[in-house]
Amino acid sequence: MSIRYESVEKLSEMIKNKEIKPSEVVKDIYDAIEETDPTIKSFLALDKENAIKKAEELDELQAKDQMEGKLFGIPMGIKDNIITEGLETTCASKMLEGFVPIYESTVMKKLHAENAVLIGKLNMDEFAMGGSTETSYFKKTVNPFDHKAVPGGSSGGSAAAVAAGLVPFSLGSDTGGSIRQPAAYCGIVGMKPTYGRVSRFGLVAFASSLDQIGPLTRNVKDNAIVLETIVGVDKNDSTSAPVEDNDFTSDIGKDIKGMKIALPKEYLGEGVSDEVKEAVRNAVEILEGEGAIVEEVSLPNTGYGIPSYYVIASSEASSNLSRFDGIRYGYHSKEAQTLDELYKFSRSEGFGKEVKRRILLGTFALSSGYYDAYYKKSQKVRTLIRQDFDKVFEDYDVVVGPTTPTAAFNLGEEINDPLTMYANDLLTTPVNLAGLPGISVPCGQTNNRPIGLQFIGKPFDEKTLYRVAHQFEQQYNLHDAYQNL
C-alpha cells in the first residue's frame, strides 16, 4: 500500500495505532521520489542514509509506546535556503554550491524535537529571487499538474514535492508571495504566517523585513498542525514576536456563519484573468452558502505594492548579499589576481542574472541622492498599504481574493521578461509589506492548471484563517486529483 498521498494527520494516526512503522513510511517516500522526481525535479539533495537511520530509531520508540512529538515519524522536505546542519544548503546558487552548514536553523530544531524525519532539500529560485523556480542554478522544477508549466516560485520545489506526493509537508519561505504563489500554481495549501510568528534564525536572508518561513501541505488542517510546531519567540531572532498562542487547530471544523469577509475590488481588476475572476466569484458563492457575509471593499494603495515591494526587497537584498564576497565562504574565483578582482569575479561568476539584477537595483535605490526618492518613499507607501488593511479589519474578519492574477504559465514563457514576472506578485506582495498572515487554497482549475484563493487575516490571527479556509475546503478541494499526478 502506497502512503504517498496520505495526510500528515492520517499518517500520524496510522503510526500511533502501529498500523505502519516510521521506517516503512520513509521507505515508501524514497520509492516515490525515485519513481517521480526525475520528472518533477523538486529535490536538490537527499538525506537518505540519515533519514532511514532516524526512522529505524523511531521504530524502536514506537514498539515501546514512546511516540512523543506531533510529527512523530512524518517525512518532510525543506526549502534549500533554510539551514540544515550537516546537509548541503545552496539556495540553488553556484555561490553556495558545496556549502555544508555546521549549525541548525531554529525551525529545524523544532521539527527534530517533534520527531519529524528530514527527507531532503528542495529546489527554489536562486536566493529566493524569482517566481517560477527557473532561476535555480541546478535544475528547473516542473508543475506536477502540467509538466509544461512552472510550479511557481521561489518555493517551487517545496510546492511541487507536496503536490506530487513526495512528502506530506514541506517548508518554504515567503518574501513577496513565495509560498502562496507556488501553492496556488500546484493546487495545494500554503501559509505565510504573520511577520515575526516564526523565527528566521537559519533562514538565508533575502529581505529581512519581509521574509517569513511557512508550511506547504495538501490540506488545511495539516498546515495548521505543522505551523503549531514551528512558531514561537526565539532569542536568536530579534524580530521574532513574543506571542505565546500557538493553537491553530481548535477552531477548525467550526462554522463561519455571520463571519464578515471583505472582497477588495482591486483584487479583481486589471491584469486578473477571466478564469481566475470566475473561480473567485464561485468561491465567494460557496462562502456565502456557508453563512459568511461577503462585501466589496477598497484597498486603494494595492497598485503601488509591486513598485514599493521591489525597491524595499532589492535594497535589503543588496545589503544582505554583500556578505558573499569570495573570501569567507561561498564561491571563490580562481581567476582573480587582486582583491578588487576577487570581489568582482567571485560575485559576477557566482550569482545568476536575476540576483545580480536585484543587487544592482537595490544598490542604486540606496545610493546617495536616490535614497529619499526611492527607498524612503517606498517605506511610506508600505505604511499606507498597512493602513488600508487596518481600516478594513475594523469591520471585517478576513480579506479574500485570488492568490495570483493567472494560473501557472509555461516554462520559458516569462523568464526573460522581468516586468511581467514581477507583475505576477500583484496580489501577494501587499501581505508581506503589511506583515500580515495569508493562506492560499485551491479554488478552481483552468486547462488542468490549479487556481488559488487567498485569505488574508489580522496580525497573529492565523487561527481564523485556518477556520475559514478549512470550511471552504470542505466544499471544494483537489485532493482526488493527486492520485493522477
Side-chain angles (χ1 to χ4, degrees):
M1 178 189 71
S2 173
I3 51 82
R4 64 186 287 188
Y5 291 102
E6 292 290 4
S7 67
V8 170
E9 186 180 28
K10 177 66 174 174
L11 281 175
S12 294
E13 186 183 310
M14 291 169 71
I15 290 170
K16 187 177 180 181
N17 294 336
K18 298 186 179 180
E19 296 170 36
I20 193 167
K21 293 179 180 178
S23 60
E24 293 171 333
V25 175
V26 169
K27 182 182 180 300
D28 204 74
I29 287 295
Y30 277 116
D31 286 347
I33 290 169
E34 191 175 319
E35 175 192 339
T36 306
D37 206 49
T39 302
I40 302 297
K41 302 183 179 71
S42 61
F43 279 92
L44 289 179
L46 295 173
D47 198 23
K48 191 170 185 179
E49 188 178 331
N50 287 326
I52 290 171
K53 183 182 175 187
K54 169 81 177 282
E56 288 171 348
E57 290 169 0
L58 296 179
D59 286 353
E60 294 175 16
L61 293 174
Q62 182 191 41
K64 298 174 187 173
D65 288 319
Q66 296 175 357
M67 291 173 277
E68 296 181 4
K70 285 185 180 177
L71 299 172
F72 185 94
I74 306 298
M76 60 181 170
I78 304 296
K79 187 176 180 179
D80 202 34
N81 61 344
I82 297 172
I83 294 291
T84 45
E85 184 179 6
L87 183 61
E88 187 178 15
T89 301
T90 69
C91 293
S93 177
K94 182 179 181 180
M95 181 61 82
L96 282 178
E97 187 174 12
F99 172 62
V100 179
I102 58 173
Y103 72 99
E104 196 76 276
S105 57
T106 296
V107 288
M108 291 309 299
K109 282 183 180 177
K110 287 176 175 283
L111 290 169
H112 287 313
E114 300 292 340
N115 279 316
V117 181
L118 176 59
I119 297 299
K121 303 298 290 292
L122 292 157
N123 197 23
M124 56 183 280
D125 281 298
E126 185 183 7
F127 282 102
M129 298 180 192
S132 63
T133 314
E134 292 174 285
T135 69
S136 169
Y137 172 68
F138 300 103
K139 58 174 72 170
K140 289 179 174 59
T141 303
V142 305
N143 191 312
F145 275 84
D146 183 341
H147 296 172
K148 296 190 296 294
V150 300
S154 63
S155 308
S158 297
V162 170
L166 306 184
V167 279
F169 82 90
S170 66
L171 290 190
S173 67
D174 192 311
T175 307
S178 288
I179 288 173
R180 291 159 290 148
Q181 185 246 37
Y185 284 179
C186 291
I188 61 170
V189 179
M191 165 65 87
K192 180 258 166 200
T194 308
Y195 182 78
R197 180 66 104 164
V198 180
S199 171
R200 292 185 297 110
F201 180 74
L203 173 67
V204 179
F206 166 12
S208 304
S209 73
L210 300 164
D211 297 341
Q212 192 60 197
I213 295 171
L216 297 102
T217 57
R218 284 190 291 277
N219 69 52
V220 171
K221 190 170 184 184
D222 279 2
N223 205 283
I225 291 168
V226 175
L227 187 62
E228 285 182 347
T229 69
I230 62 172
V231 297
V233 67
D234 177 19
K235 68 180 189 299
N236 290 319
D237 177 7
S238 62
T239 62
S240 78
V243 179
E244 296 303 321
D245 175 31
N246 65 346
D247 166 28
F248 305 126
T249 52
S250 61
D251 279 359
I252 287 178
K254 292 182 180 178
D255 67 51
I256 56 172
K257 285 175 184 165
M259 193 172 281
K260 293 191 72 179
I261 299 176
L263 175 64
K265 62 183 181 182
E266 291 83 2
Y267 286 16
L268 293 177
E270 188 181 349
V272 180
S273 74
D274 291 340
E275 295 85 0
V276 169
K277 288 177 183 176
E278 183 183 358
V280 170
R281 290 192 183 105
N282 291 340
V284 165
E285 288 182 13
I286 289 173
L287 293 168
E288 290 174 331
E290 293 295 307
I293 300 161
V294 184
E295 295 175 347
E296 189 175 276
V297 299
S298 178
L299 292 171
N301 292 295
T302 296
Y304 305 118
I306 288 178
S308 170
Y309 167 80
Y310 275 99
V311 169
I312 294 169
S314 298
S315 298
E316 294 184 15
S318 95
S319 175
N320 278 323
L321 269 62
S322 65
R323 70 193 70 178
F324 301 105
D325 54 14
I327 296 175
R328 287 163 288 184
Y329 47 78
Y331 179 76
H332 180 97
S333 176
K334 303 290 189 293
E335 305 299 317
Q337 300 297 316
T338 66
L339 184 61
D340 281 349
E341 285 185 351
L342 178 61
Y343 292 151
K344 181 179 177 181
F345 293 170
S346 296
R347 289 170 67 78
S348 61
E349 294 165 18
F351 289 135
K353 187 186 294 184
E354 181 61 28
V355 174
K356 285 186 276 196
R357 180 185 290 123
R358 298 200 195 189
I359 290 172
L360 287 168
L361 175 61
T363 304
F364 173 78
L366 292 176
S367 62
S368 175
Y370 296 101
Y371 178 90
D372 286 353
Y374 295 105
Y375 185 74
K376 193 174 178 181
K377 190 174 285 185
S378 294
Q379 291 288 17
K380 289 179 178 179
V381 170
R382 180 182 197 166
T383 301
L384 293 175
I385 288 170
R386 175 61 186 259
Q387 289 171 348
D388 283 352
F389 279 112
D390 288 344
K391 189 175 180 183
V392 166
F393 283 130
E394 287 175 7
D395 300 312
Y396 296 90
D397 301 295
V398 171
V399 172
V400 71
T403 310
T404 58
T406 66
F409 48 90
N410 289 335
L411 287 155
E413 187 176 4
E414 295 183 6
I415 189 65
N416 295 316
D417 183 357
L419 290 181
T420 301
M421 287 286 284
Y422 298 168
N424 291 320
D425 299 333
L426 170 71
L427 305 167
T428 51
T429 52
V431 178
N432 298 79
L433 290 167
L436 301 173
I439 189 170
S440 178
V441 296
C443 73
Q445 284 181 282
T446 176
N447 297 323
N448 249 3
R449 298 181 185 185
I451 295 169
L453 182 72
Q454 180 176 218
F455 294 104
I456 303 165
K458 299 173 185 177
F460 303 103
D461 194 19
E462 287 85 355
K463 192 173 187 175
T464 300
L465 287 186
Y466 282 127
R467 176 180 174 180
V468 177
H470 180 266
Q471 205 65 19
F472 175 77
E473 185 182 64
Q474 299 314 295
Q475 305 303 321
Y476 181 91
N477 68 70
L478 284 176
H479 297 173
D480 294 342
Y482 292 132
Q483 306 298 336
N484 303 317
L485 294 179

